Amino acid sequence: MIYRRRASALHVARAGIAAAYGMALVLLALCFTNPLALGAIAVAAGAAAVLAGVGSDLARAARFAVPLAILVALVNALVVREGLTVVVRVGEVPPFGQIDITLEAAVYGLLLGLRVLVIVLCAALLTATVDPDEVLRGMRRVSLRSALTASLATRMVPVLARDARRMEQARRCRPDVDLRTRSTQLAVVRAVTTGALERAVDVAATLELRGYAIARRPPRGGGAPFSRHDLSVGCAALGLLALGAWGLAAGVARVDPYPRLALGTGSREIVLAVLIVVVALVPFLSRRGVQRA
Amino acid sequence: MSTLTFERFSYTYAGADTPSLREVSLHVDAGEFVVLAGLSASGKSTLLRAASGLVPHFHGGVAAGRVLVGGLDTREHGPGDLAAVAGTLLQDPETQVVMTTVRAELAFPLENRGLAPAAVARGVEEVALALGIAELLERSTHELSGGELQRVALGAALAGRPPLVLLDEPTSQLDPVAGDELVWLLRRLNEEWGTAVVLAEHRLERCLGHADRVVVLEDGAVACDAPPRAMLEWAAERAPALQTPSARLFVRAGLRPLPAGVKEARATLRSHGLARDPVAIAESIPPPAAAPRRRPWASRAGGVAAIRARGIWQEPAGTRAILRGVDLTLVPGERVALMGRNGAGKSTLLRHLSGLQRPTRGRVEAAGRVALLLQNPGDYLIHERVGDEATPAALDLVGLTELADRHPRDLSGGERQRLALAIVMDAGEPAVALLLDEPTRGMDRAAKGELADRLDVLAAGGTAVLVATHDAEFAAAVADRVILLADGHAIADAPAPEILSGGWHFATETARVLGGDGQALTPEQGGALLRSRMTIEVHP
């Protein structure tokens, strides 16, 4: 997934604020396992992505995340031995012993899987809407070396992806190579690693030539004033964090999976879910200035 | 005033036995355009890395002597300091760009110097306008073509308006059009802004016309330092592999002075009364044969075809078709060049013919195994020893037996190409066809000549050879027949002299000098033609 600047409130807002918005959604997903809350966060992230013009990026991320979510759900159902409502008795499975699948473990597994999916969606939204170059500039004020590492990593990902595609085709053109043998696989891994190191050295040389090693700190201050979109996205991020804090403090959207499943699905949970969606989408109400981006 | 000075500079890479540069003394004055020439591994890249400070600060090793760049001694100043006085552009565009947008890339070196945002913004605007990349400013660097990436990297190198720019084969990974554009851009920088240029380049014919001086390196030492014409005279005696096609043409014909470019060559021919009327030449050349809409299923020679492709379509979902009903037949021993601009479908067609990709419509049939050599030979190398990559017989075929104990990554570009060729040809079942995708990228003329000879040997043994290339000189050297692709269609399919002698872009330098006269493609053919004319004039 690659950042591309688009005409949306999230892309227009400065990177630090857009990143705070994405991080707030991720944190919110980490706070709750309640399906109403998670559903609301997923709807908020999805709608924000569509309004920001990165809906297809989120769809791609979801395709990768769904198998992972299913795996999490299955593992929880099979491994966790808590819960009182046994729905399937699998029996003795060495070396795990007696395995009983409980309704509580199965449902909680599904909720954990849903949370994984929602976190991936929120992270994908963050990646697709936050300018990494601007983040690097910000990081440079804090730590030059960290920014250098991040810069190298950012640049190396697409370069290595292209290299890997080419190398895979070249392997297929070798008449003598049987990729099923361990020695050949090791040789390929070694060649790919060597190639990656050579590429990293080339990129590092370029960074040297651009003066990264002597990087002087840019003068502080004098930046552009906060725009309406900076304010609205920033307020939405704060609002989402406040909703998370309220939910945790007031015990809204709690889930007590064991021994018997107890899900909060009352009016307070519905209010929380609606507020999450509304607060997350408020920045997209105004498009003034967005087209100029 | 000297912008770049080497004083008896020698350098040996860490762990190497022999020096890469030996007692190099060189001066480049302000506003000069200097071309660095030499065969592969002659020390061109090392010299440029020494001028940019990467040697020894980045690479380590042992250095002696002194290099001054804009008055800064490279022993005391590293690449970051020197970037203010010398912009550097290396070969591979993909590793030359480190940020995600063009604007951020151009701003990056200025920000590293701690300039205020207003000064950065102005610097970005200035360099974008100067290099004609203003329309790319908001584009993501991931979306750019190789040529665009290289121009952006050049912009980043020039963002601080350094008085000197160092370029290490910047066109080697580009197609000819993008390469020519980059060289013209350098000339503009040199003429309009007085930027001194030091350019290492294999295709001398591309840049000699712009150069004030040519410095030739041999085994890390300066072998010749002279203006272009004098350098060509020197090369005629001492280093024939460095001669341009025009110079070789003139040497063959016994004409002087040797030309630095096509324009000079034509002027000299006119002054000798050897230039024929372009209209008469054009009338005498038959138009290139159009490719038949449906080539007959049988091969041209009527024998058994090595490969037959019928009506191949490649239609990726959601985008335009890459191949549109291409028909192609190769007979054993036939040598064919596949030409066309970037995106015409050449690489895709080769992948289909080799079975690496399946067409969405149409059919490919081969009489046996088809070997495909992709663009980057390094991608084929997976072992620690050349001898482990291919059998002794295959190494012998490409003349690498003596290097069997070397590490594949220590080989030169040409040697890697030969090793990759050995790998793809190395199987129990001999290949009925060999397909090569841009095999001459980054190769010097000597390596190209060697490759052409290897292909001749394979073709003589009955292997059909199909080369996708932008290099008209190489196509003329290896191909009997040329197919032109455009937008997924074969738009012409004819003998090489018909295609390569009558055009502007798909023409050899000899053909451009002679205006297609006699359908001469190579300097040898052109020289013979001119000599016959001169003989007729002297003995009517």
Side-chain angles (χ1 to χ4, degrees):
Chain A
M1 185 179 302
I2 293 167
Y3 169 83
R4 285 187 186 83
R5 194 165 173 82
R6 296 176 196 279
S8 85
L10 277 182
H11 290 88
V12 170
R14 58 186 70 197
I17 291 172
Y21 177 89
M23 292 298 290
L25 283 170
V26 172
L27 281 174
L28 216 53
L30 287 170
C31 289
F32 299 108
T33 41
N34 186 290
L36 276 175
L38 287 176
I41 299 165
V43 168
V50 171
L51 292 168
V54 294
S56 56
D57 292 298
L58 241 66
R60 254 197 311 278
R63 277 202 293 276
F64 283 106
V66 165
L68 182 63
I70 292 170
L71 182 68
V72 168
L74 283 175
V75 167
N76 196 75
L78 290 171
V79 171
V80 174
R81 299 175 184 188
E82 295 180 71
L84 295 176
T85 319
V86 177
V87 287
V88 179
R89 283 194 185 280
V90 178
E92 191 73 19
V93 179
F96 303 107
Q98 180 71 31
I99 289 187
D100 296 330
I101 297 176
T102 65
L103 175 69
E104 290 78 9
V107 173
Y108 195 56
L110 284 174
L111 294 178
L112 290 178
L114 177 62
R115 181 154 80 174
V116 167
L117 179 63
V118 173
I119 289 171
V120 171
L121 289 180
C122 296
L125 177 69
L126 195 150
T127 311
T129 57
V130 177
D131 183 352
D133 295 338
E134 220 181 302
V135 173
L136 285 177
R137 269 185 222 114
M139 278 176 66
R140 215 160 41 176
R141 289 181 185 279
V142 183
S143 167
L144 275 174
R145 296 294 157 197
S146 308
L148 171 63
T149 309
S151 183
L152 259 176
T154 309
R155 184 59 203 149
M156 288 304 292
V157 169
V159 171
L160 291 181
R162 274 195 289 267
D163 283 357
R165 272 197 300 275
R166 276 202 340 263
M167 286 174 143
E168 191 270 335
Q169 289 194 334
R171 306 283 170 263
R172 287 168 57 197
C173 293
R174 285 188 70 125
D176 61 324
V177 169
D178 181 359
L179 285 171
R180 288 167 299 185
T181 64
R182 185 173 292 271
S183 62
T184 307
Q185 287 169 349
L186 277 175
V188 171
V189 168
R190 196 172 50 222
V192 169
T193 310
T194 310
L197 288 174
E198 281 180 0
R199 288 297 216 173
V201 169
D202 288 346
V203 174
T206 301
L207 285 167
E208 284 279 336
L209 293 170
R210 302 285 181 265
Y212 204 92
I214 56 144
R216 298 179 181 106
R217 291 181 189 281
R220 284 180 175 276
F226 284 96
S227 71
R228 72 177 68 243
H229 299 290
D230 290 332
L231 293 174
S232 67
V233 174
C235 287
L238 287 175
L240 290 170
L241 290 175
L243 284 172
W246 170 64
L248 287 178
V252 181
R254 278 186 58 159
V255 175
D256 294 315
Y258 311 113
R260 279 194 189 282
L261 186 67
L263 288 174
T265 51
S267 57
R268 291 200 310 170
E269 282 73 23
I270 293 170
V271 169
L272 177 70
V274 171
L275 282 177
I276 286 172
V277 175
V278 170
V279 170
L281 299 183
V282 160
F284 297 95
L285 288 177
S286 167
R287 287 188 61 82
R288 282 180 64 188
V290 166
Q291 301 298 352
R292 288 200 300 265
Chain B
M1 191 187 109
S2 183
T3 304
L4 173 65
T5 305
F6 279 75
E7 290 177 359
R8 297 173 64 84
F9 185 78
S10 297
Y11 174 73
T12 306
Y13 280 103
D17 298 327
T18 51
S20 295
L21 292 178
R22 290 181 298 168
E23 301 261 331
V24 171
S25 292
L26 180 69
H27 295 271
V28 176
D29 289 333
E32 256 195 311
F33 194 127
V34 176
V35 169
L36 268 185
L39 298 180
S40 293
S42 58
K44 302 188 296 295
S45 297
T46 308
L47 187 140
L48 291 174
R49 282 171 184 256
S52 67
L54 288 174
V55 163
H57 293 278
F58 186 77
H59 293 290
V62 179
R66 199 158 76 124
V67 181
L68 295 171
V69 187
L72 301 178
D73 191 326
T74 60
R75 290 174 301 186
E76 292 153 21
H77 298 273
D81 293 328
L82 296 173
V85 286
T88 305
L89 189 63
L90 305 176
Q91 279 184 28
D92 188 352
E94 285 195 355
T95 54
Q96 293 280 294
V97 171
V98 290
M99 305 299 267
T100 55
T101 65
V102 173
R103 185 181 289 282
E105 186 64 36
L106 299 182
F108 185 60
L110 301 173
E111 288 169 347
N112 285 336
R113 284 189 218 161
L115 297 187
V120 171
R122 183 186 163 180
V124 169
E125 208 62 25
E126 292 258 13
V127 78
L129 288 169
L131 299 191
I133 51 175
E135 77 281 4
L136 301 179
L137 277 176
E138 304 310 327
R139 294 263 301 275
S140 164
T141 50
H142 306 292
E143 298 168 349
L144 303 181
S145 67
E148 288 171 334
L149 268 180
Q150 201 65 305
R151 278 162 70 195
V152 170
L154 179 62
L158 294 172
R161 297 177 64 198
L164 169 68
V165 58
L166 309 162
L167 305 107
D168 186 6
E169 294 178 29
T171 65
S172 65
Q173 305 297 315
L174 308 182
D175 66 73
V177 175
D180 287 342
E181 279 175 2
L182 192 73
V183 173
W184 276 102
L185 191 60
L186 293 174
R187 179 171 178 152
R188 214 174 118 221
L189 279 174
N190 178 252
E191 287 188 350
E192 293 188 22
W193 290 282
T195 308
V197 175
V198 181
L199 169 67
E201 178 66 51
H202 276 312
R203 292 192 61 179
L204 293 180
E205 59 272 24
R206 179 175 273 163
C207 51
L208 277 195
H210 309 301
D212 298 310
R213 269 165 59 208
V214 185
V215 175
V216 180
L217 290 179
E218 272 181 0
D219 292 330
V222 175
C224 173
D225 183 349
R229 284 183 181 178
M231 175 267 168
L232 288 170
E233 289 289 355
W234 173 87
E237 294 288 322
R238 292 273 310 275
L242 295 179
Q243 282 183 297
T244 61
S246 310
R248 272 165 52 215
L249 169 70
F250 272 44
V251 169
R252 292 283 189 286
L255 289 168
R256 288 295 187 276
L258 298 183
V262 172
K263 187 176 172 182
E264 272 186 36
R266 283 185 185 146
T268 307
L269 288 184
R270 274 197 298 274
S271 69
H272 284 77
L274 291 168
R276 279 186 64 199
D277 176 26
V279 178
I281 294 173
E283 283 172 357
S284 68
I285 297 174
R293 186 169 174 74
R294 278 272 181 265
R295 184 165 289 283
W297 185 237
S299 72
R300 290 179 140 223
V304 177
I307 300 182
R308 284 174 179 147
R310 192 164 62 165
I312 300 182
W313 282 79
Q314 177 63 29
E315 301 154 295
T319 178
R320 56 192 280 278
I322 299 170
L323 294 177
R324 299 158 185 266
V326 176
D327 297 316
L328 175 71
T329 303
L330 293 179
V331 296
E334 193 177 18
R335 300 173 306 166
V336 181
L338 187 62
M339 302 186 79
R341 59 182 149 85
N342 275 351
K346 303 187 295 295
S347 298
T348 308
L349 180 58
L350 293 193
R351 281 168 167 73
H352 284 303
L353 295 177
S354 68
L356 201 59
Q357 240 177 301
R358 295 203 177 282
T360 44
R361 276 189 276 166
R363 209 161 42 153
V364 176
E365 284 182 2
R369 191 174 71 82
V370 177
L372 170 63
L373 187 58
L374 295 165
Q375 279 184 23
N376 191 344
D379 292 342
Y380 288 88
L381 312 179
I382 59 173
H383 294 290
E384 301 277 289
R385 199 174 148 268
V386 169
D388 295 335
E389 296 282 6
T391 61
L395 291 180
D396 188 44
L397 179 75
V398 297
L400 286 179
T401 306
E402 287 178 7
L403 303 181
D405 290 324
R406 292 265 292 274
H407 194 292
R409 298 207 175 261
D410 291 338
L411 301 180
S412 70
E415 288 164 347
R416 278 192 196 194
Q417 185 72 266
R418 278 152 62 193
L419 180 54
L421 184 59
I423 290 167
V424 297
M425 295 300 288
D426 189 18
E429 179 192 0
V432 295
L434 170 64
L435 318 178
L436 303 99
D437 195 359
E438 291 291 349
T440 59
R441 258 191 193 183
M443 269 190 182
D444 61 36
R445 188 162 286 121
K448 285 183 198 178
E450 278 179 20
L451 179 62
D453 292 343
R454 307 272 164 210
L455 297 181
D456 276 346
V457 170
L458 288 169
T463 306
V465 174
L466 177 63
V467 185
T469 184
H470 283 293
D471 188 338
E473 312 293 337
F474 186 69
V478 300
D480 313 310
R481 174 181 156 207
V482 175
I483 298 171
L484 278 188
L485 274 190
D487 287 329
H489 293 287
I491 56 167
D493 182 349
E498 269 186 41
I499 304 270
L500 296 177
S501 67
W504 281 354
H505 182 74
F506 299 107
T508 62
E509 186 166 297
T510 300
R512 280 183 283 138
V513 168
L514 298 175
D517 193 3
Q519 293 195 336
L521 298 183
T522 63
E524 291 71 23
Q525 294 165 354
L529 179 77
L530 291 176
R531 267 205 309 274
S532 69
R533 295 262 163 79
M534 286 188 273
T535 308
I536 290 165
E537 278 179 20
V538 175
H539 305 290

